[in-house]
């Protein structure tokens, strides 16, 4: 546990210095007054928790201060930590052993970090001695397939890749056939980035989802949405649209190292009930960690 | 979200109208909602704070103009201040020695490579001789991506394997000079403003070739971190402009306010779609409306204006108001709607309740309906279009066959037409006020 938190700390260190250094001072010694509440609101809003979530948290804190007779900001800090933790679920265990292959569909908007995340996930499964197969079904973006191929080479993994502009559903189908033939444990399917407001592209994604189910009944066994951690309030709309379209059941917060925020995770959990499974903390294959609410909150609060 | 704000503000405005005069308390009530709207649009906390204070001061001391009610006055001030903060749109600076250098910088995934290709395509169509430089050796296949896009837009891409970005850029510049290239666009690797090594690399590139423009490319969906990113980049290198990407999504784009406020650098472009032509000049009025949550009414009007022939519109309006609206006019209107662009884009621009409704429509379905309607009207004789009342069963069957549809489809179109006719008759009586309410 301590190790894990240390690793997060390393990943978040640069940002912490830049942004959250002042928090320790802010919530250090003094007594609770009007400024404290305003500072708290500023802190939460600036971590992208959004107006609604921030107000709820502050309201709960006010009640606690009132009921428990807290007077010092140090006590408040502990209470704040508890309030934040209360609003984050522990990630459910990644338990896909009963499926062979377990098919995981990776979706998200353009530039959220899907392809890099897939490389990291592949490495994560590989370290658990799973046979991983990559399926490059992003046939739209120029060189997206090549990008995943480079990763396949680096990680020494088999890959089924579509031709540019090939039908992504067909590529996914071939990929699953290959995964069955090779008796792979995990098939990771990369899809093209698409803005959730693009009707046709979302329809296309639904089709890929259906085709995967036809290739292997019960598949995909997981649909994970990759969210850029620097995203603001729009993250909730993204998550909602992708959930409606392809029943997303897990979220990966990418690029958390470049922001240390990802505060929208709270609203997504509360409103949509989708758990955060992993966080991305760098550009190397090993820079992926199971989501740890404690470390996540710590990262926000500690200077 | 937009709708919620509009409704709230309307509630407050009604109250303001009743009192007829702006007191500090009235202004504060509005400002609370404006503050929430801005925060929900991802404008940075501290920027919102300053903005609210500034506008509050201006609004309270303000004389209410005769033409407006106090409510409109306040929103006008808010809107004006937002526009002022966003600044005037500026063009690229393409003066000086050739080749002029444009460098794109930004975080990973902000959309630099696509933006570079879009910019190349646009400048090429303006007669520039453009060359792209692939200066991102880090992300796998980033080079290949730019090369593919370069091919697509017909612009050469410079790259040499194993050469570090600063040297690579210097060589590209040399070659561009020899080859009579007029604009060199450098696509750099995505980087965090906190990554010292990569920021040093940018500085080294700038030392080799002095860019005319260093554009910070920012994802329109970005949250509060936008402020730190922008100030981090600006402290490291001199930025000359901003480009917001993925504006075709439904993010409000409040980061534009934050970044403008902290850098003072002008916004030069907006990326608005997946196609390589989807690069637009920025219009502060439209963006301000979007951030406030007022929909893109102005954009919608512009498109309609561009597609509309003034004379034709005048004639139609006259006929409509005279109650002489025919199927011929109906067909004409359908064609005009289609000229405005893909239906889904138009639907997205609608404000308020209409926008909400539009988002629930499948654009494909709507597009299909439009086609069917057109086919049906085209299968009618001129006589039938001018006098739809002569359409008996046998004529309807003929029209259905001719347009490859069913009689039910023909009946539906006729019903729609009669509804439209009725609407115009109502408008005639209310003098057009009904329509403006529908759009407000």
């Amino acid at each position: 546990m301590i190790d894990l938190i240390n690793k997060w700390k390393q990943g978040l260190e640069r940002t912490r210095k830049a942004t959250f250094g002042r928090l320790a001072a802010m919530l250090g010694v003094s007594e609770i007054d009007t400024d404290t509440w305003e500072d708290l609101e500023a802190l939460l809003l600036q971590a992208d928790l959004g107006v609604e979530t921030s107000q709820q948290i502050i309201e709960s804190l006010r009640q606690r201060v009132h009921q428990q007779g807290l007077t010092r900001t140090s006590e408040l800090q502990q209470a704040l930590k508890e309030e934040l933790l209360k609003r984050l679920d522990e990630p459910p265990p990644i338990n896909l052993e009963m499926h062979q292959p377990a098919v995981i569909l990776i979706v998200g908007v353009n530039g959220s970090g899907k392809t890099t995340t897939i490389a990291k996930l592949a490495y994560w499964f590989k370290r658990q001695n799973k046979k991983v197969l990559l399926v490059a079904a992003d046939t739209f973006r120029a060189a997206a397939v090549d990008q995943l191929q480079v990763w396949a080479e680096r990680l020494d993994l088999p890959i089924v890749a579509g031709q540019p502009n090939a039908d992504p559903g067909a590529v996914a189908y071939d990929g699953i056939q290959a995964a069955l033939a090779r008796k792979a444990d995990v098939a990771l399917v990369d899809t093209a980035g698409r803005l959730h407001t693009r009707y046709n592209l979302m329809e296309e994604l639904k089709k890929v989802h259906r085709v995967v189910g036809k290739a292997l009944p019960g598949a995909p066994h997981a649909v994970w949405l990759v969210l850029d951690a620097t995203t603001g309030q729009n993250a909730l709309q993204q998550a909602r649209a992708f959930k409606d379209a392809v029943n997303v059941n897990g979220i990966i917060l990418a690029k958390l190292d470049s922001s240390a925020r990802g505060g929208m995770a709270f609203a997504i959990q509360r409103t949509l009930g989708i758990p955060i499974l992993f966080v991305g903390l760098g550009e190397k294959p090993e820079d992926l960690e199971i989501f740890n609410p404690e470390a996540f909150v710590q990262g926000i609060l500690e200077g | 979200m937009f709708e919620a704000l509009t409704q709230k503000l309307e509630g407050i405005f009604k109250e303001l109208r009743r009192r007829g005069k702006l007191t500090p308390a009235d202004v504060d009530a509005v400002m609370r909602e404006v503050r929430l709207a801005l925060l929900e649009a991802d404008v940075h906390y501290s920027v919102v704070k300053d903005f609210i204070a500034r506008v509050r001061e201006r609004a309270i001391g303000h004389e209410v103009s005769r033409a407006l009610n106090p409510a409109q006055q306040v929103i006008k001030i808010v809107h004006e201040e937002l526009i002022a903060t966003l600044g005037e749109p500026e063009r690229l600076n393409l003066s000086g020695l050739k080749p002029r250098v444009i460098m794109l910088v930004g975080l990973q995934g902000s959309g630099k490579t696509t933006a570079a290709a879009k910019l190349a395509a646009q400048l090429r169509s303006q007669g520039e001789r453009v060359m792209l430089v692939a200066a991102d050796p880090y992300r796998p296949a980033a080079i290949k991506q730019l090369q593919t896009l370069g091919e697509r837009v017909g612009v050469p891409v410079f790259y040499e394997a194993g050469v570090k970005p600063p040297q690579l850029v210097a060589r590209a510049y040399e070659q561009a000079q020899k080859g009579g290239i007029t604009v060199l666009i450098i696509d750099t690797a995505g980087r965090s403003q906190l990554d010292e090594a990569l920021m040093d690399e940018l500085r080294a590139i700038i030392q080799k070739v002095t860019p005319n423009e260093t554009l910070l490319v920012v994802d329109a969906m970005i949250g509060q971190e936008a402020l730190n990113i922008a100030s981090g980049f600006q402290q490291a290198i001199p930025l000359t402009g901003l480009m917001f990407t993925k504006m075709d999504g439904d993010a409000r784009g409040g980061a534009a306010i934050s970044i403008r406020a902290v850098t003072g650098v002008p916004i030069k472009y907006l990326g608005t779609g997946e196609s390589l032509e989807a690069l637009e000049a920025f219009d502060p009025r439209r963006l301000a409306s979007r951030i406030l949550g007022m929909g893109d009414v102005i954009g919608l009007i512009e498109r309609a204006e561009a597609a509309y022939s003034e004379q034709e519109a005048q004639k139609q309006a006259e006929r409509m108001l005279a109650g002489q609206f025919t199927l011929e006019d109906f067909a004409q209107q359908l064609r005009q709607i289609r000229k405005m662009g893909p239906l889904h884009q138009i639907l997205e621009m609608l404000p308020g309740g209409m926008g909400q409704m539009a988002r629930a429509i499948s654009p494909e379905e709507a597009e299909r309906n439009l086609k069917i309607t057109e086919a049906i009207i085209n299968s009618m004789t001129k006589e039938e279009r001018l006098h739809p009342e002569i359409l008996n069963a046998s004529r309807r069957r003929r029209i259905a066959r001719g347009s490859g549809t069913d009689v039910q489809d023909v009946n539906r179109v006729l019903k729609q037409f009669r509804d439209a006719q009725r609407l115009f008759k109502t408008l005639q009586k209310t003098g057009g006020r009904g329509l403006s309410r529908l759009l407000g």
Side-chain angles (χ1 to χ4, degrees):
Chain A
M1 185 68 189
I2 298 290
D3 266 8
L4 191 59
I5 290 183
N6 279 338
K7 170 131 195 189
W8 278 61
K9 275 190 176 168
Q10 275 167 20
L12 302 178
E13 187 170 30
R14 292 173 308 178
T15 333
R16 276 211 332 270
K17 274 187 200 148
T19 343
F20 287 111
R22 71 212 142 65
L23 180 65
M26 196 174 92
L27 287 177
V29 282
S30 58
E31 300 201 341
I32 300 169
D33 57 18
T34 337
D35 284 351
T36 316
W37 294 113
E38 200 171 305
D39 288 347
L40 251 180
E41 188 193 26
L43 171 88
L44 297 176
L45 286 174
Q46 285 179 41
D48 285 320
L49 271 84
V51 174
E52 209 181 327
T53 311
S54 301
Q55 282 176 351
Q56 281 175 3
I57 290 173
I58 287 175
E59 196 40 50
S60 314
L61 279 176
R62 274 185 187 278
Q63 279 174 16
R64 284 179 69 159
V65 165
H66 184 68
Q67 283 159 9
Q68 299 168 12
L70 310 180
T71 54
R72 303 184 68 81
T73 51
S74 54
E75 296 166 318
L76 189 64
Q77 187 175 4
Q78 183 55 36
L80 171 62
K81 193 175 158 186
E82 288 166 18
E83 286 296 328
L84 290 171
L85 274 176
K86 207 168 78 184
R87 287 170 169 78
L88 292 171
D89 292 340
E90 288 284 340
I94 310 295
N95 205 350
L96 296 164
E97 264 97 38
M98 60 280 227
H99 310 291
Q100 204 201 19
V103 179
I104 305 172
L105 197 62
I106 304 295
V107 302
V109 299
N110 316 59
S112 59
K114 285 175 298 304
T115 308
T116 309
T117 301
I118 286 190
K120 292 175 178 180
L121 284 170
Y123 183 74
W124 190 82
F125 282 117
K126 198 186 169 191
R127 271 190 302 182
Q128 297 173 19
N129 298 315
K130 297 267 196 288
K131 275 181 75 177
V132 181
L133 176 91
L134 301 177
V135 183
D138 178 358
T139 51
F140 180 78
R141 179 165 66 83
V145 168
D146 303 72
Q147 188 179 348
L148 198 60
Q149 270 168 338
V150 171
W151 280 115
E153 227 164 89
R154 283 188 198 170
L155 298 169
D156 192 22
L157 292 172
I159 180 169
V160 172
Q163 291 298 312
N165 298 318
D167 175 49
V171 179
Y173 191 90
D174 290 350
I176 286 159
Q177 294 301 326
L180 284 163
R182 290 159 180 261
K183 297 199 171 16
D185 297 314
V186 179
L188 291 164
V189 184
D190 189 15
T191 62
R194 64 200 76 222
L195 289 186
H196 53 288
T197 48
R198 286 270 168 236
Y199 181 84
N200 291 340
L201 297 179
M202 293 306 275
E203 287 299 307
E204 181 199 82
L205 187 63
K206 285 186 199 168
K207 188 184 154 204
V208 172
H209 190 271
R210 280 196 302 274
V211 169
V212 166
K214 276 193 189 135
L216 177 64
H221 307 99
V223 181
W224 292 345
L225 172 70
V226 179
L227 265 185
D228 184 332
T230 55
T231 309
Q233 304 307 298
N234 196 243
L236 183 60
Q237 270 124 284
Q238 285 176 31
R240 181 176 287 131
F242 277 100
K243 188 188 179 199
D244 287 349
V246 291
N247 203 13
V248 168
N249 55 10
I251 283 176
I252 301 174
L253 268 183
K255 308 183 213 174
L256 194 60
D257 58 318
S258 68
S259 83
R261 294 178 182 273
M264 281 308 289
F266 290 93
I268 290 171
Q269 282 240 305
R270 178 171 51 84
T271 322
L272 303 174
I274 311 173
I276 320 295
L277 303 176
F278 294 93
V279 299
L281 291 165
E283 294 190 308
K284 293 189 291 296
E286 62 270 27
D287 294 333
L288 181 80
E289 295 289 336
I290 296 250
F291 177 67
N292 179 298
E294 182 96 9
F296 184 73
V297 168
Q298 203 96 336
I300 290 178
L301 294 180
E302 271 191 0
Chain B
M1 218 186 283
F2 295 8
E3 291 71 30
L5 171 75
T6 316
Q7 275 168 16
K8 272 188 214 161
L9 284 180
E10 270 167 13
I12 292 167
F13 287 165
K14 263 187 212 132
E15 214 143 285
L16 285 179
R17 202 168 304 162
R18 215 174 46 234
R19 290 183 200 164
K21 171 182 158 202
L22 288 181
T23 68
D26 293 332
V27 175
D28 285 344
V30 178
M31 284 305 151
R32 262 198 293 280
E33 298 304 329
V34 171
R35 174 179 182 270
L36 290 183
L38 295 178
L39 286 171
E40 276 164 8
D42 291 319
V43 183
H44 191 268
Y45 176 83
S46 60
V47 175
V48 172
K49 212 171 159 176
D50 290 351
F51 181 83
I52 295 293
R54 197 168 71 231
V55 177
R56 183 180 182 273
E57 199 172 317
R58 216 191 121 184
I60 287 174
H62 208 280
E63 197 74 31
V64 178
S65 127
R66 264 169 206 274
L68 302 174
N69 65 39
Q72 290 168 323
Q73 188 79 54
V74 179
I75 205 64
K76 186 163 173 273
I77 294 170
V78 169
H79 200 229
E80 277 171 6
E81 285 288 329
L82 276 180
I83 292 168
T85 312
L86 285 169
E88 284 302 309
E90 278 191 34
R91 299 168 65 89
L92 283 182
N93 164 22
L94 291 177
S95 58
L97 281 180
K98 287 173 191 172
R100 297 83 174 226
V101 178
I102 302 170
M103 182 163 77
L104 302 183
V105 302
L107 292 189
Q108 294 91 338
S110 55
K112 288 174 297 302
T113 306
T114 306
K118 286 181 180 179
L119 202 52
Q122 195 179 80
L123 290 172
R124 184 172 177 269
S125 75
Q126 290 166 9
E128 300 288 346
R129 297 193 58 190
V130 185
M131 184 161 87
L132 286 157
V133 187
D136 176 5
Y138 310 110
R139 177 163 64 86
I143 308 286
K144 178 86 188 291
Q145 185 185 355
L146 192 66
Q147 284 168 340
T148 309
L149 293 175
E151 212 168 285
R152 222 174 274 171
V153 298
V155 166
V157 177
F158 186 91
Y159 175 66
E160 282 177 15
V163 182
K164 291 225 165 77
Q167 284 72 32
L168 180 85
V169 168
R171 286 193 204 177
Y173 189 83
E174 244 171 66
Q175 188 176 319
Q177 250 176 336
K178 281 186 209 142
I181 295 289
T182 56
V183 178
L184 199 62
I185 301 175
I186 308 170
D187 178 30
T188 64
R191 65 200 74 214
S192 158
Q193 78 281 7
L194 303 168
D195 191 326
E196 275 306 322
L198 282 177
M199 293 313 266
D200 281 344
E201 182 192 275
L202 283 185
R203 280 187 282 260
I205 291 176
I206 292 171
Q207 272 189 347
K208 298 271 182 192
V209 291
T210 313
N212 280 53
E213 292 277 3
T214 302
L215 304 179
L216 179 65
V217 181
V218 184
D219 186 329
M221 298 179 279
I222 197 167
Q224 298 277 311
E225 186 64 7
L227 193 85
N228 295 326
I229 291 163
S231 62
F233 268 96
Q234 207 191 19
Q235 276 159 26
I237 53 169
L239 297 176
T240 60
L242 307 171
M243 186 188 271
F244 287 90
T245 60
K246 308 179 205 173
M247 289 293 291
D248 48 330
D250 58 356
R252 299 263 289 277
I257 298 275
S258 311
I259 296 182
R260 268 288 299 171
V262 67
T263 63
V265 170
I267 300 169
K268 300 214 165 160
Y269 286 103
L270 305 178
T272 52
E274 302 241 10
S275 84
L276 292 172
E277 298 89 54
L279 185 69
E280 290 179 13
F282 132 87
D283 177 344
R285 287 172 308 153
R286 278 166 61 179
L287 190 52
S289 302
R290 176 171 175 159
I291 292 170
L292 254 189
M294 288 163 61
D296 196 356
V297 190
I298 297 161
L300 191 64
I301 292 168
E302 277 171 1
R303 282 203 183 206
E305 276 175 342
Y308 230 72
S309 132
E310 180 100 23
Q311 256 185 334
E312 195 55 43
Q314 185 69 29
K315 266 204 305 213
Q316 265 192 14
E318 277 165 16
R319 275 207 302 276
M320 262 184 228
L321 290 178
Q324 294 165 350
F325 182 69
T326 65
L327 274 164
E328 189 79 41
D329 299 307
F330 197 51
Q332 186 99 34
Q333 287 197 338
L334 292 178
R335 279 193 287 275
Q336 267 154 1
I337 289 174
R338 292 171 63 104
K339 259 199 276 178
M340 282 165 72
L343 203 56
H344 68 92
Q345 276 185 19
I346 300 165
L347 292 178
E348 277 164 19
M349 292 165 112
L350 291 171
M354 280 177 78
Q356 186 80 338
M357 259 153 50
R359 274 189 281 281
I361 301 172
S362 146
E364 266 176 352
E365 184 78 358
E367 199 90 44
R368 210 179 61 91
N369 273 336
L370 212 57
K371 269 196 199 132
I372 290 180
T373 308
E374 232 183 327
I376 288 173
I377 297 180
N378 286 342
S379 295
M380 295 177 185
T381 63
K382 184 144 196 185
E383 177 79 16
E384 285 164 348
R385 274 180 238 158
L386 293 174
H387 305 287
E389 61 278 2
I390 66 170
L391 285 168
N392 58 24
S394 111
R395 280 176 191 264
R396 287 179 197 212
R397 271 200 301 278
R398 191 207 76 237
I399 292 165
R401 266 203 312 281
S403 56
T405 58
D406 297 331
V407 175
Q408 286 99 303
D409 290 319
V410 177
N411 288 338
R412 183 178 48 79
V413 169
L414 288 173
K415 182 177 180 306
Q416 278 173 358
F417 169 67
R418 279 194 300 274
D419 288 346
Q421 229 175 5
R422 208 171 305 130
L423 173 71
F424 291 127
K425 285 205 178 112
T426 323
L427 286 179
Q428 192 189 354
K429 284 182 202 131
T430 58
R433 265 174 290 130
L435 187 67
S436 63
R437 204 172 310 135
L438 201 67
L439 282 168

